[in-house]
Amino acid sequence: MSPSSESAALKLEVVAKCSITKARASLLTLPHGPVQLPMFMPVATQASLKGLTPAQLKQTGCNLCLNNTYHLGLKPGQETLDKVGGAHALQGWQGNILTDSGGFQMVSLLKLARITEEGVRFLSPHDGAPMLLTPEHSISLQNSIGSDIIMQLDDVVVTTSPDALRIKEAMERSIRWLDRCIAAHKKPETQNLFCIIQGGLDLDLRRKCCEEMVRRDTPGIAIGGLSGGEAKDAVDTCTSYLPAHKPRYVMGVGYPEDLIVSVALGADMFDCVWPTRTARFGNALTRNGVLKLRHSSYAEDFKPIEQDCKCKCCRGASEGGLEITKAYIHHIASKETAGAHLSVSALSQEVSFSHFYTTPTLALPSLGLLLFNPSKPGDERVTKTNTKIHQTNDSQRPPSP
């Protein structure tokens, strides 16, 4: 019998498993509809996905995107969110929303932030005003946003930190903050609170955190602090300790090779700004690597982005496509509004082992792993692969603009 879980606002059904790796296909049902897992979630940080309208995002088959609590709390602010009826109404999005709690901003805005047991004190990047983000306030903001999945406020430390005591402190504080988040959560019947496992690269700390977080029995579980291309031993360790009937979310992971390895290690959900940012600046992912289409060598290249690709941008007009050429993307990328729409649209069409993302099916033949399509339960067409837990050097990554 397939593992399944059901709470007031979430139901997970595991419909197929890989016989070689820990990869699995599941159906996650949330208040705004079903979501096929594994899934990459596009990031609409400020209730806007750069390069795509909500209607265009829906056309890709995506039914779950990410907003950021920290940014929406600053602008438009909680009062406006309450008046409009939450982020779904604000951005005209009828699908599901996951909100990050603001914990990651502790890393990215650390120069402005001071972390104590009370919460995070920082200066507003807009006007320099002093602000305090506590677990209670983070949950209150997310209740106002109305997201289908809300994240606990966690204490985030970069994995490169040499301070083992600080990493341990952050892990233990994240557990205490989860208890405060659970107590502050006012809408568990419509919003799912996910805990976040911390512990840096210390696998013993990760195990301890898993044990404590699982004991709190939140509807879903996230693995945090691994968005910098770290080795995936921590993901493997965590998924081995996590219950099979809960969705597993690895936060901030979006490079193709990291997605494939993490799925093989048993993770279900991912997010990152890299795909849409990459597309907006004229970079396309293809079978043969990344094409930097702003380079002058493409100025008179009138072939499609990828030959035989069936995405809307590459298909010919006779097949209902746009017949967009490399030369046209070169001409408009990062210069014209249409360039963002076309580039991101190409990156968000169904995976044809090409211009990538916002799809429930993850497949990259160059990594030797074909993950079955979750829309076909029981279809376990998985080829043997080397799922070595590896660290990706920056030199191996596709270029970022």
Side-chain angles (χ1 to χ4, degrees):
M1 186 174 180
S2 297
S4 63
S5 176
E6 188 165 358
S7 62
L10 179 152
K11 179 180 179 181
L12 178 75
E13 180 185 4
V14 178
V15 297
K17 294 181 179 180
C18 174
S19 60
I20 301 169
T21 71
K22 292 196 284 185
R24 61 190 196 164
S26 308
L27 182 65
L28 176 66
T29 303
L30 296 169
H32 286 81
V35 178
Q36 292 179 327
L37 304 179
M39 183 195 183
F40 175 85
M41 296 177 288
V43 179
T45 300
Q46 303 192 52
S48 173
L49 184 67
K50 294 180 175 67
L52 287 180
T53 65
Q56 288 172 320
L57 180 58
K58 191 71 175 179
Q59 289 172 4
T60 69
C62 175
N63 198 34
L64 175 59
C65 69
L66 187 144
N67 290 177
N68 183 268
T69 300
Y70 166 81
H71 290 288
L72 293 181
L74 290 175
K75 184 182 180 182
Q78 189 167 11
E79 184 178 352
T80 299
L81 288 164
D82 286 334
K83 287 179 179 178
V84 76
H88 289 90
L90 177 69
Q91 61 196 301
W93 171 246
Q94 301 306 311
N96 295 287
I97 296 173
L98 180 150
T99 41
D100 188 4
S101 64
F104 178 74
Q105 278 66 39
M106 294 184 195
V107 174
S108 59
L109 300 176
L110 194 57
K111 291 180 180 179
L112 303 176
R114 184 167 63 88
I115 303 164
T116 67
E117 191 64 27
E118 183 182 18
V120 188
R121 292 190 178 275
F122 60 96
L123 301 179
S124 168
H126 294 296
D127 57 12
M131 304 187 72
L132 172 65
L133 182 64
T134 66
E136 293 80 8
H137 186 43
S138 174
I139 294 299
S140 176
L141 284 171
Q142 293 182 84
N143 286 162
S144 293
I145 290 169
S147 40
D148 304 85
I149 296 175
I150 67 177
M151 305 304 300
Q152 75 155 107
L153 184 66
D154 57 333
D155 188 352
V156 183
V157 180
V158 293
T159 55
T160 54
S161 171
D163 191 342
L165 290 178
R166 174 69 185 99
I167 293 174
K168 182 174 185 289
E169 175 191 51
M171 182 275 288
E172 293 174 342
R173 179 174 288 146
S174 294
I175 296 170
R176 295 191 296 271
W177 280 3
L178 173 62
D179 291 333
R180 291 167 60 183
C181 288
I182 292 172
H185 187 19
K186 303 300 184 185
K187 300 180 180 180
E189 71 282 355
T190 59
Q191 294 180 285
N192 300 284
L193 173 61
F194 279 29
C195 64
I196 303 176
I197 297 168
Q198 291 293 348
L201 299 180
D202 186 320
L203 300 186
D204 288 333
L205 290 181
R206 288 281 178 175
R207 291 186 191 98
K208 180 179 178 181
C209 195
C210 284
E211 292 171 359
E212 293 295 329
M213 295 304 195
V214 168
R215 191 174 295 132
R216 271 96 177 146
D217 196 29
T218 57
I221 301 172
I223 301 170
L226 295 174
S227 61
E230 298 87 351
K232 297 299 177 282
D233 302 70
V235 175
D236 189 34
T237 295
C238 291
T239 56
S240 296
Y241 276 79
L242 300 181
H245 63 280
K246 304 267 188 180
R248 305 159 177 173
Y249 165 30
V250 182
M251 306 180 74
V253 169
Y255 290 100
E257 61 272 36
D258 288 343
L259 292 175
I260 295 299
V261 170
S262 296
V263 167
L265 295 175
D268 303 311
M269 302 162 61
F270 313 90
D271 79 279
C272 188
V273 299
W274 184 77
T276 47
R277 178 182 293 164
T278 294
R280 292 198 313 276
F281 285 87
N283 297 321
L285 279 69
T286 73
R287 293 181 183 89
N288 299 313
V290 177
L291 301 182
K292 297 183 178 181
L293 296 177
R294 287 194 298 174
H295 192 274
S296 59
S297 61
Y298 296 105
E300 296 183 2
D301 189 334
F302 303 111
K303 297 187 291 295
I305 298 172
E306 183 155 24
Q307 292 291 148
D308 302 320
C309 174
K310 297 302 180 183
C311 82
K312 186 174 183 179
C313 283
C314 291
R315 287 200 310 267
S318 61
E319 301 176 278
L322 297 175
E323 210 165 343
I324 300 298
T325 66
K326 296 173 188 173
Y328 187 57
I329 295 295
H330 168 81
H331 172 64
I332 63 175
S334 74
K335 300 175 185 176
E336 303 289 343
T337 303
H341 283 282
L342 290 173
S343 298
V344 178
S345 178
L347 267 167
S348 61
Q349 297 301 313
E350 315 179 77
V351 172
S352 52
F353 310 126
S354 182
H355 341 299
F356 210 29
Y357 296 97
T358 65
T359 173
T361 306
L362 301 175
L364 279 180
S366 62
L367 293 177
L369 176 63
L370 175 63
L371 292 175
F372 44 80
N373 190 325
S375 64
K376 299 178 181 178
D379 182 2
E380 302 190 19
R381 297 172 291 114
V382 182
T383 60
K384 189 172 183 180
T385 182
N386 175 11
T387 55
K388 178 182 178 182
I389 306 170
H390 69 287
Q391 180 171 3
T392 304
N393 298 322
D394 289 338
S395 61
Q396 296 173 305
R397 292 197 178 283
S400 260

